[in-house]
Amino acid sequence: MKVLVAGGAGYIGSHTVVELVKAGHEPVIVDNFSNSKETVIDRLEEITGTHLTWYRADLADQSLTRAIFEKETPDAVIHFAGYKAVGESVEQPLDYYENNLNTTFSIARAMIASGCDTIVFSSSATVYGDAELPLTESEPHLDSLSPYGYTKVAGERILTDIAQAHDLKLGLLRYFNPVGADASGRIGENPLGRPNNLMPAVAKVAAGRQDKLLIFGDDYPTRDGSAIRDYLHVTDLAKAHVVALEKLGGFDSSVKIWNLGTGKGTSVFELVAAFEQACGFELAKEVAPRRAGDRAEIYATPTLALEELGWQTELTIEDMCTDTWRWQSNNPDGYPDGEAQSTPSSVNAS
Ligand code: NAD
Ligand code: WQD
């Protein structure tokens, strides 16, 4: 399949490009590099051993998006393109609603115009809001506490309505907490500025780029008092996208939803201990008050993905920490600045 990877230069998108090539598909990366660097393209070409087609383009621009789809005529799309920082979305809700929804509108319009009928959308466990565990795909009440989260609730609904009206195949993938990096150590997550999420913060402390780790709350009603999440390796997550694309056409329903997680919770203290094992030294850390809006415990019920896609995670918390540390220690400041060595493709948008 030729797969247009919207936001393919980002953290999860880049790992998915690797797995698409490994599985024999042809990715076309489209990204405006608002939260990524062009030099990731060099790393991807190195890992995959292939020349990649890529565009520097704003997917919120409808005519540009349509021109790319008309030129490439992809068989399917994976839609990663959007902003993703929960706290920032509270401060800049308009930017989040505008970018995350406009990319979705452009992509949907371009699919319909070019006859592309299959899309996988990056959704999130955040759509469960404060729903009671177990969190299953049939949960009727979706909500979210942040504008970011609400772009996922709305994105799911908008794409569902469009898929049903235009006979598209839609996969809504609800990720839990993706972490880790490709085993090569050449690609990984590199948030700009101080990281909001736990694993990037742990990795920055280990690399000497952040003075200490703040542990947000040790008074939760959990086994060790710290909050519990369902961390999954980004390579397992990337593989789930490939399987979802390959299998979407085989279901009667035009819209399918899958939780993607391990089904097991790990506490903040447990994750930090696993990372200390992986890097071989103790990290500077301090307990701080709970972070506003955090739940005590969240983990997936991932059984539907196993039953319907035959997908389940294979990599462990130890793998997640070892691979993150390999990436972070080899690239303490992330990707180099500068242009990619290969030339981007271009289109003339009217
Ligand atoms: P990321 O920021 O690394 O990747 C997103 C990519 O989209 C970036 O390369 C960015 O430059 C690009 N982009 C943003 N707006 C664009 C636009 N208008 N046009 C073209 N490109 C644009 O984020 P990620 O962690 O790889 O997440 C990918 C997707 O998965 C996002 O939609 C995110 O909301 C979702 N998600 C992420 C997580 C997580 O914990 N990382 C969890 C659940 C869901
Ligand atoms: C995990 C735990 C923190 C940083 C977020 C989004 C969610 C999804 C995944 C996109 C919490 C604690 C964190 C730190 C800490 N993203 N923590 N010190 O909040 O489960 O989910 O990312 O869709 O929508 O909300 O992940 O990694 O931010 O936090 O103690 O420096 O680690 O309080 O308990 P979260 P996280």
Side-chain angles (χ1 to χ4, degrees), residues 54-66:
W54 63 282
Y55 291 81
R56 171 183 276 277
D58 183 353
L59 287 157
D61 180 330
Q62 286 203 7
S63 52
L64 188 55
T65 305
R66 189 166 164 163

Side-chain angles (χ1 to χ4, degrees), residues 98-270:
E98 202 167 54
N99 191 49
N100 292 8
L101 296 183
N102 282 341
T103 52
T104 303
F105 296 144
S106 295
I107 289 169
R109 283 230 176 263
M111 287 178 71
I112 295 162
S114 69
C116 172
D117 66 356
T118 303
I119 175 165
V120 164
F121 177 61
S122 294
S123 190
S124 166
T126 192
V127 301
Y128 290 115
D130 52 13
E132 297 269 315
L133 270 57
L135 301 173
T136 59
E137 292 84 348
S138 55
E139 166 64 42
H141 182 67
L142 300 183
D143 203 350
S144 191
L145 297 170
S146 69
Y148 162 72
Y150 207 76
T151 68
K152 295 299 177 191
V153 176
E156 284 201 2
R157 173 64 193 267
I158 289 164
L159 285 171
T160 298
D161 290 345
I162 295 170
Q164 284 169 346
H166 293 271
D167 209 16
L168 307 179
K169 291 287 185 186
L170 167 66
L172 301 172
L173 305 190
R174 294 181 180 159
Y175 317 155
F176 280 67
N177 291 61
V179 297
D182 185 74
S184 65
R186 299 293 285 160
I187 58 171
E189 183 171 22
N190 183 51
L192 309 170
R194 198 179 168 98
N196 303 303
N197 299 114
L198 179 61
M199 185 65 105
V202 168
K204 290 273 179 202
V205 174
R209 296 299 188 271
Q210 185 174 314
D211 55 346
K212 63 183 171 209
L213 178 75
L214 295 180
I215 294 175
F216 299 139
D218 67 350
D219 56 351
Y220 285 105
T222 59
R223 53 185 172 262
D224 62 17
S226 67
I228 289 180
R229 295 291 182 271
D230 186 340
Y231 301 95
L232 77 159
H233 197 294
V234 66
T235 298
D236 279 331
L237 178 61
K239 288 180 181 168
H241 291 76
V242 179
V243 187
L245 276 185
E246 291 173 348
K247 298 210 169 159
L248 261 177
F251 297 102
D252 292 337
S253 165
S254 68
V255 182
K256 297 294 299 176
I257 310 174
W258 292 290
N259 283 344
L260 299 177
T262 65
K264 287 191 249 12
T266 301
S267 76
V268 175
F269 285 126
E270 288 164 351

Side-chain angles (χ1 to χ4, degrees), residues 2-4 67-76 114-116:
K2 186 191 258 198
V3 183
L4 190 142
I68 294 171
F69 273 72
E70 277 169 4
K71 181 173 164 196
E72 296 291 343
T73 60
D75 302 299
S114 69
C116 172

